[in-house]
Amino acid sequence: MKKNGISGAAGRLLATAAAAASLAACASSADPHAMAVAPPPAAVNADKAFPQALMHAMCVRAVTGGEKTNPLWVSKVDNDGFKSALGASLDTAGLTAPASGCSYPIDVNLLGLSQPSMGFDMTVTSHVNYKVYNSGGEPYLLATIDAPFTATVGDAFLGVERLKKANEGSIRASIQMFFDKLKDSGRP
Amino acid sequence: MSASALCLCGCAAREVTPVSMSQPGDDALSCDAIAQQIAANGAAEAKYRHDDKEVENGNIAKGVGSAAPFVGPLIAGSTDLSNEEQVKARSLADRNEQLRYLANRKGCGQ
């Protein structure tokens, strides 16, 4: 008997093949380019700007807490990848300080990623502490940011790839939320 | 089939809420209150780090078990990737760093 045009045996074979393909695929680290925040269209957030003091005055000093990806396990976000993504995002936003001096260094502690073990829609929530200091070494902004992002089967068919995309989206959302807090930091 | 469907629907990560580094009312904390918070956070951090190791060991065992025929996917689905204990332990360490900074600024213990 056929259901939806696929016989029971063929259906089982297809399901097994899909499961095998999903399990056989190797996990890879999140891509820094995919985690970086893209420049917003000129019309968006025009009323919300960064405080002038932060412009061309920030740098990423240290990133801790990231994990290397084990290809036989699940995709993770490592320190270098996060640093690269945050650095590129600062560049795009015009916040990066010249090499001669950084007045507002940023330390990042990646507390962890809350990931699903499997599923069709995969939601990853990144938990990140951003610590911005002023030139006197005093905390300028301390932000604990939880950023969820869901990747669907439409984003990637294979589970390992879908989880990687969810990781990347979550970090991108985290950096965007950090930027929003920076913008608010200049308001009275 | 229904077991797989159940698993796929039920394998979302647990909701995890870290402790914020900076909290409203921090500036009004007395030296005693800061010291109490630091001690309580330190104890909680140690417990979470211990629990995190246990979860990690459990996940390794489940990773091996996931290769088992038939029940493998169910075992793999029960893997805990929420990192709840790690997130809470690390956030408590950062919170204590901020509390120590506040204590210094207030001249506590001098």
Side-chain angles (χ1 to χ4, degrees):
Chain A
M1 186 176 148
K2 284 188 174 183
K3 276 185 183 172
N4 298 329
I6 300 174
S7 72
R12 277 196 296 276
L13 190 63
L14 194 64
T16 308
S22 173
L23 291 171
C26 288
S28 57
S29 284
D31 175 9
H33 292 106
M35 293 190 287
V37 172
V44 176
N45 279 347
D47 60 325
K48 237 182 157 187
F50 292 102
Q52 197 53 44
L54 300 180
M55 299 308 292
H56 308 291
M58 305 188 83
C59 60
V60 188
R61 187 164 60 187
V63 176
T64 56
E67 289 178 61
K68 294 273 180 203
T69 297
N70 177 345
L72 297 176
W73 196 231
V74 293
S75 178
K76 296 285 183 183
V77 176
D78 58 45
N79 292 334
D80 290 343
F82 193 107
K83 189 171 187 176
S84 177
L86 182 54
S89 303
L90 292 174
D91 278 348
T92 302
L95 294 168
T96 303
S100 55
C102 171
S103 305
Y104 293 90
I106 307 165
D107 288 343
V108 175
N109 189 3
L110 184 48
L111 303 174
L113 300 171
S114 293
Q115 300 171 309
S117 47
M118 57 174 71
F120 292 115
D121 289 351
M122 289 184 160
T123 299
V124 169
T125 303
S126 59
H127 308 280
V128 183
N129 276 347
Y130 295 89
K131 308 169 199 177
V132 183
Y133 300 92
N134 62 22
S135 50
E138 304 276 306
Y140 170 81
L141 173 72
L142 300 175
T144 300
I145 294 178
D146 306 311
F149 185 88
T150 302
T152 65
V153 177
D155 296 317
F157 177 70
L158 292 180
V160 285
E161 188 62 24
R162 196 154 66 247
L163 190 62
K164 180 181 165 219
K165 289 199 176 293
N167 288 343
E168 291 166 347
S170 176
I171 297 298
R172 202 167 54 242
S174 176
I175 294 173
Q176 184 60 64
M177 289 163 81
F178 169 55
F179 278 9
D180 289 343
K181 284 192 183 284
L182 283 177
K183 287 174 180 172
D184 288 339
S185 70
R187 296 187 176 198
Chain B
M1 193 73 159
S2 55
S4 299
L6 249 179
C7 183
L8 287 171
C9 297
C11 300
R14 271 179 292 154
E15 196 163 306
V16 178
T17 308
V19 177
S20 295
M21 283 182 289
S22 178
Q23 297 178 8
D26 273 355
D27 285 332
L29 285 174
S30 67
C31 289
D32 280 350
I34 290 174
Q36 280 172 18
Q37 275 201 34
I38 289 174
N41 289 346
E45 183 195 343
K47 186 186 180 309
Y48 280 126
R49 289 204 186 276
H50 173 266
D51 292 350
D52 184 43
K53 277 278 165 221
E54 288 194 343
V55 171
E56 203 177 310
N57 291 338
N59 283 344
I60 291 170
K62 285 170 185 172
V64 174
S66 66
F70 305 115
V71 293
L74 285 176
I75 295 172
S78 69
T79 306
D80 182 0
L81 299 177
S82 68
N83 277 318
E84 181 174 17
E85 294 77 12
Q86 175 194 291
V87 168
K88 288 188 170 168
R90 289 179 176 180
S91 68
L92 284 166
D94 274 356
R95 170 66 180 154
N96 268 0
E97 186 184 305
Q98 169 64 2
L99 286 171
R100 284 192 197 96
Y101 166 78
L102 285 175
N104 272 338
R105 207 179 63 181
K106 284 173 180 270
C108 299
Q110 287 178 359

